[in-house]
């Protein structure tokens, strides 16, 4: 059975800290791995990763995929209170998008 | 605001009611999805339509009935729901390239969801 496992499930940090969120997966027919940020409503897209070792970067956020070890990390540097959210990892498994349980990040002032 | 529009935003219904959730996108996406999300849990996949055909039904009870009238619209018909069906129902869409085992999807675009309460 396909699995997407995120860790930690919950994380509390202070503004300015750097955080690393983890996502490991076991799926057949892997196509891509995606990161989303969910605050109160719809998840919003952050990154889509298809190739190993190529870092994707957007401002203070970056992500990388390791297809040999079957995991991805999402880094957030110089965290701000606005980064508080649930970060969801999802794997596209041939026309089927499966989510991990998410990491709830709380950034305190 | 998102490019995927869901109506209504909130819905309260009794266990004997029949209601429908609606979802619309005009991005030309050919895959549309229904997810159910309970509080503090990730979205759980319910149904996937690809090129207007139901491609995935994740063993969802028959009291939930999806419908894809055309490539822009996705409905979820609700009948005889239970209180445990109360949740946020998210619609999403993605572009699809290719078919079958050679297909690839763009990232999902989500609507803001319908908050459903079953009394």
């Amino acid at each position: 059975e396909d699995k997407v496992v995120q860790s930690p499930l919950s994380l509390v940090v202070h503004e300015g800290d750097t955080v690393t969120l983890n996502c490991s997966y076991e799926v057949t027919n892997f196509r891509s791995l995606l990161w989303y940020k969910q605050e109160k409503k719809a998840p919003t897209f952050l990154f889509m990763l298809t190739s190993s070792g190529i870092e994707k970067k957007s401002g203070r956020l970056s992500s990388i995929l390791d297809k040999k070890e079957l995991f991805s990390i999402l880094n957030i540097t110089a965290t701000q209170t606005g980064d508080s959210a649930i970060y969801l990892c999802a794997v596209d498994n041939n026309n089927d998008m499966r989510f991990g349980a998410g990491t709830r990040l709380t950034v305190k002032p | 605001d998102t490019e995927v529009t869901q109506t209504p935003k909130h819905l309260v219904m009794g266990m004997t009611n029949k209601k429908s959730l609606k979802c619309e996108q005009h991005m030309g996406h050919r895959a549309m999805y229904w997810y159910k999300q309970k509080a503090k849990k990730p979205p759980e996949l319910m149904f996937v339509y690809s090129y207007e055909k139901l491609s995935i039904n994740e063993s969802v009870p028959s009291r939930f009935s999806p419908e894809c009238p055309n490539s822009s619209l996705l409905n979820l018909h609700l009948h005889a729901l239970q209180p445990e069906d109360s949740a946020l129902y998210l619609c999403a869409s993605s572009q699809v390239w290719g078919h079958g085992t050679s297909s690839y999807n763009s990232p999902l675009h989500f609507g803001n969801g319908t908050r459903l309460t079953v009394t």
Side-chain angles (χ1 to χ4, degrees), chain B:
Chain B
D1 284 347
T2 74
E3 295 169 317
V4 177
T5 304
Q6 289 188 243
T7 55
K9 291 183 181 176
H10 300 275
L11 179 62
V12 179
M13 61 186 289
M15 289 190 282
T16 58
N17 291 158
K18 280 187 183 180
K19 295 285 184 184
S20 296
L21 309 186
K22 297 186 181 300
C23 176
E24 190 169 0
Q25 57 88 15
H26 294 288
M27 295 176 281
H29 289 174
R30 300 309 299 274
M32 295 187 78
Y33 308 73
W34 279 116
Y35 283 87
K36 173 183 177 179
Q37 188 173 27
K38 302 281 273 185
K40 300 187 180 180
K41 297 285 187 183
E44 291 176 34
L45 184 65
M46 298 175 74
F47 302 105
V48 182
Y49 274 83
S50 182
Y51 297 97
E52 296 95 70
K53 288 188 169 47
L54 183 64
S55 60
I56 292 178
N57 175 344
E58 288 292 322
S59 302
V60 180
S62 60
R63 56 186 186 267
F64 295 92
S65 174
E67 179 197 15
C68 189
N70 60 55
S71 60
S72 300
L73 294 174
L74 185 67
N75 299 321
L76 186 63
H77 302 299
L78 313 172
H79 174 55
L81 293 194
Q82 305 295 312
E84 61 263 29
D85 296 322
S86 299
L88 179 68
Y89 287 83
L90 291 164
C91 173
S93 69
S94 69
Q95 189 52 282
V96 184
W97 296 280
H99 289 269
T101 57
S102 301
S103 66
Y104 288 80
N105 292 302
S106 71
L108 294 180
H109 291 249
F110 283 90
N112 278 327
T114 294
R115 177 77 57 191
L116 174 67
T117 303
V118 182
T119 61

Side-chain angles (χ1 to χ4, degrees), chain A residues 2 5 14 30 37 41 48-49 64 70 98:
Chain A
D2 294 345
V5 179
H14 287 93
F30 174 88
K37 176 183 181 181
K41 290 188 177 176
M48 179 176 177
L49 304 159
I64 198 161
L70 306 182
R98 302 253 176 203

Side-chain angles (χ1 to χ4, degrees), chain A residues 58-89:
Chain A
S58 176
R60 296 176 294 103
L61 277 66
S62 63
S63 184
I64 198 161
L65 174 68
D66 186 328
K67 289 170 77 173
K68 183 180 174 187
E69 300 297 330
L70 306 182
F71 77 91
S72 173
I73 60 171
L74 174 69
N75 277 323
I76 309 175
T77 58
T79 52
Q80 302 170 357
T81 55
D83 295 327
S84 297
I86 297 174
Y87 290 83
L88 295 163
C89 171

